[in-house]
Amino acid sequence: MSAAESKPVSIFDVAKRAGVSHQTVSRVVNDAAGVADSTRAKVKAAIGELGYRPNRSARALAGGAVRSVTVLTTDTSLYGTAETLRGIEDAARAAGFTILISVLDPDEAYTETDILARLPHDGAPAIVIAHDETTARAMQTLQKTQAHATVATGGEHLGVEQPAADWLVSLDDRTVAARATKYLLDMGHATVHYLAIPSKASRRTGWAAALAEAGVEAPPVVPSGWSVASAYEAATELVADPDVTAVLCGNDDLAFGVLYAAHRAGRSVPGDLSVIGFDDCPLAAYHVPPLTTVDLDFRGVGRGAFELLRGKLEGGERPRPVWRSPELIVRETSGPPERRRLPKGFPCIHSFAAASRPRPRPGCSPASPPHPPRPGTSPSCPSTSDGSGASRSTAPSARSTASPTPACPATT
Amino acid sequence: MSAAESKPVSIFDVAKRAGVSHQTVSRVVNDAAGVADSTRAKVKAAIGELGYRPNRSARALAGGAVRSVTVLTTDTSLYGTAETLRGIEDAARAAGFTILISVLDPDEAYTETDILARLPHDGAPAIVIAHDETTARAMQTLQKTQAHATVATGGEHLGVEQPAADWLVSLDDRTVAARATKYLLDMGHATVHYLAIPSKASRRTGWAAALAEAGVEAPPVVPSGWSVASAYEAATELVADPDVTAVLCGNDDLAFGVLYAAHRAGRSVPGDLSVIGFDDCPLAAYHVPPLTTVDLDFRGVGRGAFELLRGKLEGGERPRPVWRSPELIVRETSGPPERRRLPKGFPCIHSFAAASRPRPRPGCSPASPPHPPRPGTSPSCPSTSDGSGASRSTAPSARSTASPTPACPATT
DNA sequence: CGAAGGAATGTTAGCGCTCACGATCCAGGT
DNA sequence: ACCTGGATCGTGAGCGCTAACATTCCTTCG
């Protein structure tokens, strides 16, 4: 309350004011036992009057409980990273931890010392959001010397499966990638192409596995950057090929890029081309057309990572995060391939496409299917209470597995 | 290099190894003058051999230069916030500063002590990303007692204009909101509606001012949350009204929500309805149709905030950030209102809309206008080298101010 | 050739806090 | 009356570092 431009109040100031020793104040501040209630009250009063706040540096230096986590990452503005960070934050805040962020440059080659210097002090707890080479290497460095206080998320580059490691929280996106691929194959697509994010992603493995299982030769992976723009560029060639009828994308942003490229190439979606993303970012459900994607609970991963770390730090029995399998959310960018296939290299496919495209047509009828957009956080669907895996009720548009119900007939 | 599970190496260990005093080591570590080159080399060798890294807590405690910034914000996953944070990070990293993040809950009522307790110690430097009430109040608290070490960004809630304050870095979005509104008015729209983000935004002021100047009575502001979903919900009623022909949205996410709502309501864009966003998020240029929006350089704001803070901290002459006016990027969600207006309450507007909608039609001709998507960072356009304000070359789709050139004729 | 002055280095005293231990007080048991 | 022991509180040391001052050693100049 009384905060002038003077020396900050220390534990000794409080002690004098309350007529006790500094150690007693320390005990009160840290909720330690062995302080009489009357004394505790006196001290608390003094703290209030003086506006005392503990100095974290001093506390850390003196060997108190650490109460801070350093998060190492490369790009805080990517959806997955940002959400993971949010999860860590949420959990950390609830536990009274402070968060330090250390952003690494994906293009720089760091020495081990460079990485260790990112920590506030030796042995400081850290979480690495490992979605690329740089962060994966950082994790390996920390593993060597600070294993007791380090946890990673993601980590496709780390070459470890979740069940094996007690320092990794990740998603089983390999399985769901396989499921998504199989879903497309089952629908009649001859093959599924994969537009890859820059990461040795397990998603790719899942995709390849599903193709192999179906006896389909995997087409070459199409590499892309992280941005919509790079996906657009990477996809232009792909969507120009009428034999390409289904594209699985490394994340939603890439899917949007493909969708835009498809639009410019005159391919209709999903009649002509099916596109599936990864992430279920907030926009996915509200895109035109709504994007079929995979619901990846990055926030849960972040929370899990923090809890895991806290468990290692405090030794006590903390709930270990489970390795949940994400779910495929079928919306309106995926469906069976066009029955009436176009001859390869056909100059203009507009008339065909327009005639047979079922749904996502702006300027359609206002009497579209009822739309219950409740993208809140309620986890389970009250009415449709079968947990059969392929859909979730958090997304606005209802699932549509096969048989695309034409919302508006081709012409009135 | 040699990092076992033992006591971390301190400045004294290095001193002993190098055969000097700990203070000399300190001088070397901090690049202080007055150390002989030979000694410096010896010490550096010892540091390398022992793998010594300074302890930040101890350094901070002992009163060394601070080298850390606390960023206070409410939501790290919002585009504007995330980008501002990136800007701060970039600048901070370059300057060797550490970043602490403290996330506030927008729904919580914090006391002054609560806020101050977020800082690692009294007088610690901080940047507040003030996009809502909570953060604005936090800023006011810090202003009172830590003014010398605090800087804010955004701050529509702070009631201060940039030129007046030496602790605020923000964008002149009021002016550009007015410009966008005027652009729509000039194009023939009878009025412009505003879908507001939850913030006493200057954007709204600009919008209202432009309407007032044109002698148009401002329609009621439509409130929305930050999410696409809330925008969709808020906009359903709005887009159902055929008299509404132009909507200015508080940010791009809201614009996407409106676009989706318009799509479901059977309104065509931009023939039937013009929509303008704010932010120019990466997706805007690749949306279908590409979104007319305002390029807000949040990353620049973040960098500017950090530089301003550093200036206050170090006292020296640092470049003061300038108050740049953002630019309107006209893409394909805005245009003149339909000449052939529909009678109010007309049951199905599909046939009209489809017949006259010029451009954004999936499944159009592959011979669309040449598309140069170079969303890199090259700031100026080589060919069109007039800086006349209404467009920027960083966005893929070319500008189209008035007269929408139909890319594909209605039917072949 | 001695004093002054500077460069290089060492010594001391904290920063604000916690840990480990020591001191004090008062109940209860013998 | 004495001892024991738990509850409560105080004292001293030290975490790793830097600021301020002290010291040493070598130039350089009158």
Side-chain angles (χ1 to χ4, degrees):
Chain A
M1 306 307 165
S2 67
E5 188 64 64
S6 61
K7 203 154 159 274
V9 334
S10 85
I11 209 173
F12 284 90
D13 302 318
V14 176
K16 186 151 53 162
R17 174 92 167 208
V20 296
S21 79
H22 72 275
Q23 179 58 26
T24 300
V25 177
S26 172
R27 281 193 265 259
V28 171
V29 169
N30 294 299
D31 276 322
V35 181
D37 286 347
S38 57
T39 320
R40 193 179 292 273
K42 257 193 313 189
V43 172
K44 282 196 168 162
I47 288 177
E49 288 160 23
L50 263 40
Y52 164 78
R53 274 155 293 120
N55 180 317
R56 278 203 252 271
S57 295
R59 189 178 275 184
L61 186 56
V66 189
R67 310 217 137 266
S68 85
V69 202
T70 304
V71 178
L72 289 168
T73 177
T74 37
D75 191 342
T76 48
S77 51
L78 276 177
Y79 177 77
T81 308
E83 285 294 300
T84 305
L85 184 55
R86 274 288 312 249
I88 297 172
E89 274 165 6
D90 286 350
R93 182 165 19 136
F97 273 57
T98 298
I99 294 202
L100 323 203
I101 291 216
S102 191
V103 179
L104 303 175
D105 185 336
D107 299 323
E108 202 157 324
Y110 294 99
T111 66
E112 301 208 338
T113 312
D114 288 340
I115 296 297
L116 290 169
R118 299 299 185 114
L119 303 182
H121 60 266
D122 223 280
I127 297 178
V128 181
I129 303 180
H131 287 308
D132 58 16
E133 283 288 347
T134 303
T135 38
R137 224 170 310 122
M139 181 63 203
Q140 276 154 4
T141 296
L142 294 180
Q143 270 279 286
K144 264 198 282 188
T145 122
Q146 334 260 306
H148 60 292
T150 314
V151 161
T153 72
E156 307 90 0
H157 291 261
L158 294 165
V160 189
E161 299 281 313
Q162 166 77 348
D166 65 336
W167 49 268
L168 214 210
V169 180
S170 70
L171 262 8
D172 184 9
D173 44 1
R174 185 158 55 76
T175 301
V176 73
R179 200 186 309 157
T181 307
K182 187 168 182 320
Y183 153 79
L184 289 166
L185 256 20
D186 286 350
M187 224 166 225
H189 294 272
T191 188
V192 175
H193 289 256
Y194 181 61
L195 185 68
I197 45 176
S199 136
K200 296 202 212 94
S202 38
R203 298 172 198 178
R204 177 162 77 191
T205 321
W207 161 77
L211 288 180
E213 198 186 326
V216 177
E217 199 195 347
V221 170
V222 184
S224 163
W226 288 106
S227 69
V228 191
S230 72
Y232 170 78
E233 255 167 287
T236 37
E237 204 179 328
L238 197 65
V239 298
D241 179 358
D243 279 343
V244 173
T245 66
V247 181
L248 182 66
C249 303
N251 71 24
D252 284 354
D253 273 348
L254 303 204
F256 293 137
V258 172
L259 253 16
Y260 186 71
H263 162 66
R264 294 204 71 95
R267 309 279 309 261
S268 75
V269 173
D272 225 26
L273 182 74
S274 283
V275 177
I276 295 188
F278 260 89
D279 281 0
D280 193 28
C281 70
L283 187 59
Y286 294 92
H287 190 260
V288 180
L291 181 69
T292 295
T293 185
V294 172
D295 169 35
L296 259 28
D297 181 18
F298 284 116
R299 222 174 267 206
V301 166
R303 276 193 301 267
F306 180 79
E307 289 305 329
L308 187 57
L309 181 64
R310 204 142 87 103
K312 298 179 83 168
L313 249 35
E314 298 175 0
E317 275 304 305
R318 309 216 118 254
R320 281 287 305 279
V322 287
W323 202 35
R324 259 174 314 172
S325 216
E327 293 178 17
L328 179 65
I329 300 175
V330 176
R331 289 201 270 251
E332 304 176 22
T333 56
S334 59
E338 197 111 287
R339 274 152 303 277
R340 196 179 337 156
R341 292 299 301 284
L342 299 161
K344 188 161 184 169
F346 195 85
C348 176
I349 57 179
H350 168 236
S351 44
F352 291 88
S356 58
R357 194 176 68 252
R359 198 171 5 204
R361 187 176 199 163
C364 194
S365 132
S368 296
H371 185 88
R374 261 285 50 238
T377 38
S378 57
S380 73
C381 176
S383 53
T384 322
S385 57
D386 74 324
S388 60
S391 159
R392 259 215 359 203
S393 68
T394 48
S397 46
R399 89 154 104 175
S400 67
T401 319
S403 67
T405 44
C408 87
T411 5
T412 322
Chain B
M1 305 302 163
S2 69
E5 189 64 65
S6 61
K7 203 153 159 279
V9 334
S10 85
I11 208 172
F12 285 89
D13 302 319
V14 178
K16 186 153 52 160
R17 174 92 169 211
V20 297
S21 79
H22 72 276
Q23 179 58 24
T24 300
V25 177
S26 172
R27 282 192 267 259
V28 170
V29 170
N30 293 298
D31 276 323
V35 180
D37 285 348
S38 58
T39 320
R40 191 180 294 272
K42 255 193 315 189
V43 171
K44 282 197 166 163
I47 288 177
E49 287 159 23
L50 262 41
Y52 164 78
R53 275 155 293 120
N55 180 317
R56 278 203 253 270
S57 295
R59 190 178 274 185
L61 225 207
V66 188
R67 311 217 138 264
S68 86
V69 204
T70 304
V71 178
L72 288 168
T73 177
T74 38
D75 190 343
T76 48
S77 52
L78 276 175
Y79 177 77
T81 308
E83 284 294 299
T84 305
L85 185 54
R86 275 288 313 248
I88 297 172
E89 273 164 5
D90 287 350
R93 182 166 19 138
F97 273 56
T98 298
I99 294 202
L100 322 201
I101 290 215
S102 190
V103 179
L104 304 175
D105 185 336
D107 299 322
E108 202 158 323
Y110 294 100
T111 66
E112 302 208 336
T113 312
D114 289 340
I115 296 299
L116 290 169
R118 299 299 185 116
L119 303 181
H121 61 265
D122 223 279
I127 297 178
V128 182
I129 304 180
H131 287 308
D132 58 15
E133 283 288 345
T134 301
T135 38
R137 225 169 310 121
M139 181 61 202
Q140 277 154 4
T141 296
L142 294 179
Q143 270 279 287
K144 267 199 280 188
T145 123
Q146 333 262 308
H148 60 290
T150 315
V151 161
T153 72
E156 308 90 359
H157 290 261
L158 294 164
V160 190
E161 299 281 314
Q162 167 76 348
D166 65 336
W167 48 269
L168 214 210
V169 180
S170 70
L171 261 10
D172 185 8
D173 45 1
R174 186 158 56 76
T175 300
V176 73
R179 201 187 307 156
T181 307
K182 187 168 182 320
Y183 152 79
L184 289 167
L185 255 20
D186 286 350
M187 223 166 227
H189 293 273
T191 188
V192 175
H193 290 256
Y194 180 61
L195 185 69
I197 47 177
S199 135
K200 295 203 212 95
S202 38
R203 297 172 199 177
R204 177 162 78 190
T205 320
W207 161 76
L211 287 181
E213 199 186 327
V216 178
E217 199 195 346
V221 169
V222 184
S224 164
W226 289 104
S227 69
V228 193
S230 72
Y232 169 78
E233 255 168 285
T236 36
E237 205 179 326
L238 197 65
V239 298
D241 180 356
D243 280 344
V244 174
T245 65
V247 182
L248 182 65
C249 303
N251 70 26
D252 284 353
D253 273 349
L254 302 204
F256 293 137
V258 172
L259 253 18
Y260 185 71
H263 162 68
R264 295 204 70 95
R267 309 279 308 260
S268 75
V269 174
D272 226 25
L273 182 74
S274 283
V275 177
I276 295 188
F278 259 89
D279 280 359
D280 193 28
C281 70
L283 185 59
Y286 295 92
H287 191 260
V288 179
L291 180 68
T292 295
T293 186
V294 172
D295 169 34
L296 258 30
D297 181 18
F298 284 116
R299 221 174 267 207
V301 167
R303 276 194 300 267
F306 180 79
E307 288 305 330
L308 187 56
L309 181 66
R310 202 142 89 102
K312 297 179 83 169
L313 249 36
E314 298 176 0
E317 274 306 304
R318 306 215 121 254
R320 281 287 306 280
V322 287
W323 201 36
R324 258 174 316 172
S325 216
E327 292 178 18
L328 179 65
I329 301 175
V330 176
R331 288 201 270 251
E332 303 176 23
T333 58
S334 59
E338 196 112 287
R339 273 152 303 279
R340 196 178 339 152
R341 292 298 301 285
L342 299 162
K344 190 163 183 170
F346 195 82
C348 177
I349 58 179
H350 169 237
S351 43
F352 291 89
S356 58
R357 195 177 65 249
R359 196 169 8 200
R361 187 178 199 161
C364 195
S365 131
S368 297
H371 184 89
R374 261 279 55 235
T377 39
S378 57
S380 72
C381 175
S383 54
T384 321
S385 59
D386 71 325
S388 60
S391 161
R392 263 223 347 212
S393 67
T394 46
S397 48
R399 90 153 104 176
S400 68
T401 320
S403 67
T405 43
C408 85
T411 6
T412 324

